[in-house]
Amino acid sequence: MSMRGSVVIVGAGMAGLSAAEHLIRSGFTDVVILEASDRIGGRINTHGFGEYQGNSALIELGANWLHGSHGNAVFEVAKEHDLLDPYVLLDRMAGYAYTEDGRRISKSLTEKVWQVFQEVEMTLQDLNPLDANANSSFAIYMANELEKRLLEFPENQHADVRALFNCMLNYLSFHSAEDLEKLPLKYAACFRELDGGNIKLPKGFKSVLDVIVKKLPENCIQYNTKVEYIYYGSTQSRTATITCKTPTGKRMFEANHVIVTCSLGVLKSCHSKMFAPPLPPNKVKSINEMGFGTVNKIFLQWKTPFWKQGEGGLKFAWKTRNVGDKKTYWYKSIFGFDEILNNDNTLIGWIHGEAAEHLESMSDEEVKGQCTALIRQFLGDPNIPTPDAIVRSAWKSNELTQGSYSYVSYSSSPSDIKCLAEPVYMSGAPVILFAGEATQSDFFSTTHGARESGIREAESLKNYYQKKALANKL
């Protein structure tokens, strides 16, 4: 169908690649992806770190797992291309939980508390926005519900149970990309969890991207091409002009349609200078008020692991939660350290919110030192060696992301997600379209949400041209 217009896609992350794949499958012949960096993936970033069985061992600086299998668009790609062998589900509480005075909490108690925590977390899914206290947060709700469930345990276990709850609240925080105090309770149910657990990708998340890219024409992706300005004001031409910065100077592209897939963090900081005319006021309001949080990872590597395989999961059960100075006590926001599939010498630590942002201002040596001190303290072993290497993510200070993923904040509502997803029309044509995890109402913050959003916008362009062709025949 050569009658179909030209499409420029901004960003080669999961949303942009999925949009391009779907457009090309639908008969569009003029599709270009403009990618500001030198790689595909966006907030998916599989990275080599160490060795495993003679090959480069992998770590995920960004997206880590497939969240659920039932109805997960990314899981379907992985399954179709045999990327799930061996099939490994995440065990969130693998390894052991430790107290800050260097004591290991029994596995049976940890598992019982985890069961209770998950039951309370599931009740968030059933909350009616009209019933929930408008001022209440995830933090208040979880604390109150967990306090009630404390009565199910003997009194001599209460201190350990509370410490385990604190550990699990750190897990829920990095899962949500923000300190729980900043998450409004009334919208807790708008995110939809998929069944099937969290599934690991043995060949790394990049293996999924690679099979999508193989379906795109050669030179479809223009790397190191940073979009600076999108002018879409001409009613006569019905085209948009995109001005880009490249290593060799400015470059211009023209297209009938632009699908913008950059992160909400980038839209927050750049929308006013990126679009001409400015985006509609309701869309600007939604961009400004939606939440965009930060999660970072700390990878520590030892030449010789100090742990037994299968027991390297170290969960930090703090006596008190990190609700004070997040900069001074940033390390209290670390959930703990986990083992990594197919990378025997490395542990991954998780940190969220304000503490994760502060982490980016610190040196590798400071972070390595503090993490070593924590591991020695919680394991009660002053002889644990300092790691030989460290790699960290820094999503907040990365100008191409400016954070990790979106959430519904106190100043926003689920309707803002729908508003962000609305195309901008000129003379009845969808000229500027929006995709990315922040535009997906049920699955924001996930890679399957990003994939669905890219397919959604590609499908809307396909429908637009089918209706146009039908109207021309009549």
Side-chain angles (χ1 to χ4, degrees):
M1 277 200 165
S2 54
M3 293 296 288
R4 294 187 173 186
S6 55
V7 186
V8 158
I9 298 168
V10 181
M14 180 60 83
L17 295 174
S18 298
E21 175 198 22
H22 198 74
L23 285 168
I24 284 151
R25 192 190 302 147
S26 304
F28 285 77
T29 53
D30 190 353
V31 179
V32 176
I33 303 176
L34 306 180
E35 171 51 52
S37 75
D38 58 1
R39 64 172 184 85
I40 56 170
R43 284 165 278 165
I44 295 171
N45 188 0
T46 307
H47 193 76
F49 188 45
E51 269 193 23
Y52 179 74
Q53 295 181 351
N55 297 314
S56 175
L58 301 177
I59 56 173
E60 302 287 3
L61 289 170
N64 221 94
W65 310 295
L66 302 174
H67 293 284
S69 55
H70 303 275
N72 182 325
V74 181
F75 177 85
E76 291 306 321
V77 177
K79 186 177 158 194
E80 184 191 337
H81 293 88
D82 298 323
L83 301 176
L84 299 171
D85 186 24
Y87 197 89
V88 183
L89 283 171
L90 169 73
D91 174 3
R92 182 68 281 171
M93 296 307 287
Y96 293 92
Y98 297 84
T99 63
E100 55 200 277
D101 49 8
R103 192 168 42 80
R104 187 157 93 179
I105 299 174
S106 80
K107 195 75 177 161
S108 59
L109 180 61
T110 303
E111 282 171 1
K112 191 176 173 191
V113 174
W114 178 233
Q115 183 61 41
V116 167
F117 185 88
Q118 286 179 293
E119 286 166 15
V120 174
E121 191 190 348
M122 286 305 291
T123 64
L124 288 168
Q125 297 272 301
D126 302 323
L127 286 173
N128 183 328
L130 300 173
D131 296 341
N133 179 336
N135 299 316
S136 194
S137 65
F138 274 39
I140 293 167
Y141 177 81
M142 292 299 288
N144 289 343
E145 292 301 306
L146 294 170
E147 199 62 32
K148 289 177 200 167
R149 301 293 298 266
L150 193 64
L151 303 172
E152 296 170 25
F153 297 88
E155 205 162 324
N156 65 349
Q157 291 182 341
H158 283 196
D160 279 355
V161 173
R162 279 202 174 96
L164 285 166
F165 282 157
N166 289 335
C167 169
M168 291 162 194
L169 288 168
N170 268 341
Y171 141 75
L172 186 58
S173 302
F174 83 70
H175 202 60
S176 312
E178 190 52 281
D179 300 306
L180 297 181
E181 292 74 17
K182 295 182 184 174
L183 299 174
L185 182 63
K186 63 179 176 174
Y187 297 130
C190 71
F191 178 83
R192 195 151 66 83
E193 296 272 1
L194 295 177
D195 292 335
N198 292 319
I199 303 109
K200 299 185 182 185
L201 286 155
K203 298 185 181 82
F205 227 118
K206 189 171 179 290
S207 63
V208 177
L209 300 174
D210 289 340
V211 298
I212 298 172
V213 168
K214 278 186 184 146
K215 297 174 186 175
L216 305 182
E218 212 178 329
N219 301 326
C220 177
I221 306 170
Q222 302 288 314
Y223 293 100
N224 300 306
T225 304
K226 186 184 177 192
V227 172
E228 292 192 319
Y229 195 62
I230 300 170
Y231 174 71
Y232 64 100
S234 169
T235 47
Q236 288 80 33
S237 66
R238 277 197 184 176
T239 58
T241 304
I242 304 102
T243 307
C244 303
K245 183 181 173 186
T246 75
T248 53
K250 292 263 191 263
R251 201 167 161 204
M252 310 276 273
F253 294 83
E254 287 206 340
N256 301 107
H257 314 279
V258 183
I259 303 179
V260 178
T261 76
C262 52
S263 78
L264 176 60
V266 169
L267 283 177
K268 280 178 179 291
S269 70
C270 299
H271 72 81
S272 60
K273 48 188 183 283
M274 187 188 270
F275 297 95
L279 294 175
N282 63 333
K283 194 180 286 287
V284 169
K285 186 170 180 288
S286 293
I287 289 168
N288 290 340
E289 294 188 348
M290 283 168 69
F292 196 65
T294 302
V295 171
N296 275 320
K297 301 175 179 183
I298 304 162
F299 296 91
L300 303 176
Q301 189 180 82
W302 287 261
K303 285 194 178 78
T304 308
F306 63 83
W307 63 93
K308 270 192 218 154
Q309 288 304 310
E311 294 183 13
L314 326 167
K315 312 297 181 258
F316 295 163
W318 295 96
K319 285 177 191 164
T320 55
R321 285 195 65 229
N322 188 16
V323 291
D325 180 357
K326 300 284 198 306
K327 292 181 180 175
T328 307
Y329 300 107
W330 63 270
Y331 50 85
K332 287 192 80 171
S333 290
I334 297 178
F335 161 68
F337 285 86
D338 292 328
E339 290 182 73
I340 301 172
L341 181 66
N342 299 344
N343 192 334
D344 293 343
N345 292 26
T346 307
L347 297 179
I348 172 179
W350 301 84
I351 189 166
H352 63 271
E354 212 180 301
E357 291 179 24
H358 174 70
L359 182 79
E360 297 184 22
S361 68
M362 299 173 65
S363 72
D364 279 353
E365 285 310 305
E366 282 177 286
V367 176
K368 198 159 65 167
Q370 182 64 69
C371 289
T372 305
L374 279 181
I375 292 169
R376 286 172 180 167
Q377 177 188 345
F378 277 81
L379 267 62
D381 182 354
N383 298 316
I384 285 170
T386 304
D388 297 291
I390 180 172
V391 168
R392 299 182 282 152
S393 63
W395 292 109
K396 183 68 177 178
S397 51
N398 180 335
E399 65 160 345
L400 303 181
T401 55
Q402 302 188 36
S404 300
Y405 39 90
S406 62
Y407 63 93
V408 183
S409 68
Y410 271 100
S411 58
S412 65
S413 77
S415 63
D416 289 303
I417 302 173
K418 289 190 171 70
C419 178
L420 179 58
E422 276 294 305
V424 177
Y425 291 87
M426 296 293 291
S427 308
V431 180
I432 310 292
L433 303 94
F434 292 84
E437 55 83 14
T439 71
Q440 218 291 349
S441 297
D442 292 332
F443 306 128
F444 54 90
S445 81
T446 66
T447 55
H448 57 275
R451 179 159 173 78
E452 282 197 11
S453 73
I455 292 169
R456 178 195 70 215
E457 295 311 302
E459 191 65 13
S460 75
L461 283 179
K462 178 180 142 186
N463 292 340
Y464 168 75
Y465 280 98
Q466 282 175 341
K467 282 178 187 163
K468 207 171 157 185
L470 195 63
N472 289 341
K473 277 182 188 170
L474 297 174

